[in-house]
Amino acid sequence: MEHEESNRSEFLVFPLSQVRKEGYKATRKAPPSATDWSRRATRTQRGILDGSLGHYKGKAVPKGGCSAFAAQTLMKGTKPHRIRIEGMSITHDASATPDGIIDTVLSVMRYSTAVKSDSDERVKGVKGKWSSCMRKAGFQYASPQAAANDSRWSKGNVPTRLETSVAVADMQCKKKVRYLDTLVDVQSEYERNAIAEQSATLASLQEDAKVWLSNAKDEVNKQPATKRD
């Protein structure tokens, strides 16, 4: 029985059953979004949210809009963060949300570790083995990214036989050379180092998150109870 890798899209690893049918179309599937409020919202609603509308029904819209007002209310009692990670500076404006700050910090940390991982000799080595395996299968690609981004795959919504053949060989070669194992091990190592280096920042954000949550609970408790029939 043929074993399949799980879907690890960040490393361009997909189940064989999926790429046999979809080829590299699987790599370009957008994640489903819960809503597309910005597209459906009226100009007035967007103006109230971002503050571009100064007044509504005779009342002044808070500077920066309701988004900024909510963020400032939630972050009451904590100081704005100015964080530097690998030469990158992270700040936030008045409309930034608490979860947005944390997400940004984690995204920058993950990006910086991914860059380091990609330059690691262990990763370069396994990519070289993968490329050699692909040549034996009859396909010339320097890296998995080159195979997935071949311009021929962007034509049409239905994968060609060549595309699915390349995609299947790609996944088989990744399994043969232990591509996913290597990338996960190397990136995890860099991520652990990044967490240790940014331990003070992360601890500070954790403490701030407690305050933000407490502020949110206080605001919810201030709201009048909804009448029920």
Side-chain angles (χ1 to χ4, degrees):
M1 184 176 179
E2 188 176 49
H3 171 71
E4 290 195 348
E5 299 285 2
S6 61
N7 186 325
R8 296 296 295 270
S9 58
E10 68 269 37
F11 297 120
L12 298 177
V13 174
F14 299 87
L16 278 172
S17 59
Q18 187 174 357
V19 297
R20 281 196 177 102
K21 294 178 181 179
E22 303 176 27
Y24 288 105
K25 302 293 186 289
T27 70
R28 292 187 287 276
K29 282 187 173 180
S33 59
T35 62
D36 190 6
W37 183 88
S38 61
R39 181 172 57 83
R40 294 184 292 106
T42 65
R43 180 180 297 181
T44 298
Q45 289 172 326
R46 290 194 294 269
I48 294 173
L49 186 67
D50 63 22
S52 58
L53 185 67
H55 291 79
Y56 179 70
K57 291 187 176 180
K59 295 184 178 180
V61 174
K63 184 178 179 180
C66 291
S67 178
F69 179 80
Q72 290 163 9
T73 301
L74 290 173
M75 292 189 288
K76 183 175 58 181
T78 60
K79 296 179 180 180
H81 284 275
R82 191 180 191 88
I83 303 164
R84 292 190 66 82
I85 300 175
E86 297 294 332
M88 290 178 275
S89 180
I90 303 171
T91 58
H92 64 83
D93 58 24
S95 63
T97 58
D99 60 333
I101 297 168
I102 294 174
D103 286 347
T104 299
V105 169
L106 296 180
S107 294
V108 170
M109 288 177 65
R110 185 164 177 78
Y111 172 76
S112 66
T113 57
V115 171
K116 289 181 179 180
S117 175
D118 199 49
S119 301
D120 190 283
E121 291 302 320
R122 291 166 290 180
V123 172
K124 290 181 179 178
V126 80
K127 286 185 177 181
K129 292 178 182 178
W130 172 89
S131 184
S132 177
C133 176
M134 289 293 283
R135 282 196 299 273
K136 291 177 182 177
F139 307 112
Q140 296 279 345
Y141 290 103
S143 68
Q145 288 77 11
N149 296 324
D150 191 316
S151 60
R152 291 174 292 181
W153 315 150
S154 63
K155 300 173 182 177
N157 296 320
V158 179
T160 62
R161 181 174 296 181
L162 175 61
E163 179 180 345
T164 55
S165 296
V166 171
V168 167
D170 179 359
M171 301 309 140
Q172 291 175 332
C173 283
K174 281 172 178 166
K175 181 181 177 183
K176 183 176 182 180
V177 303
R178 295 177 60 82
Y179 172 86
L180 182 59
D181 293 336
T182 301
L183 263 66
V184 169
D185 287 345
V186 173
Q187 184 150 331
S188 295
E189 179 182 312
Y190 282 111
E191 287 177 355
R192 286 192 294 271
N193 292 339
I195 290 170
E197 291 170 3
Q198 297 295 330
S199 60
T201 295
L202 296 174
S204 177
L205 287 173
Q206 280 186 315
E207 290 304 310
D208 284 352
K210 293 176 183 178
V211 177
W212 297 334
L213 181 59
S214 176
N215 288 340
K217 289 180 178 178
D218 288 343
E219 289 301 313
V220 170
N221 291 334
K222 289 179 184 178
Q223 301 305 313
T226 303
K227 293 182 179 181
R228 296 182 179 179
D229 294 333

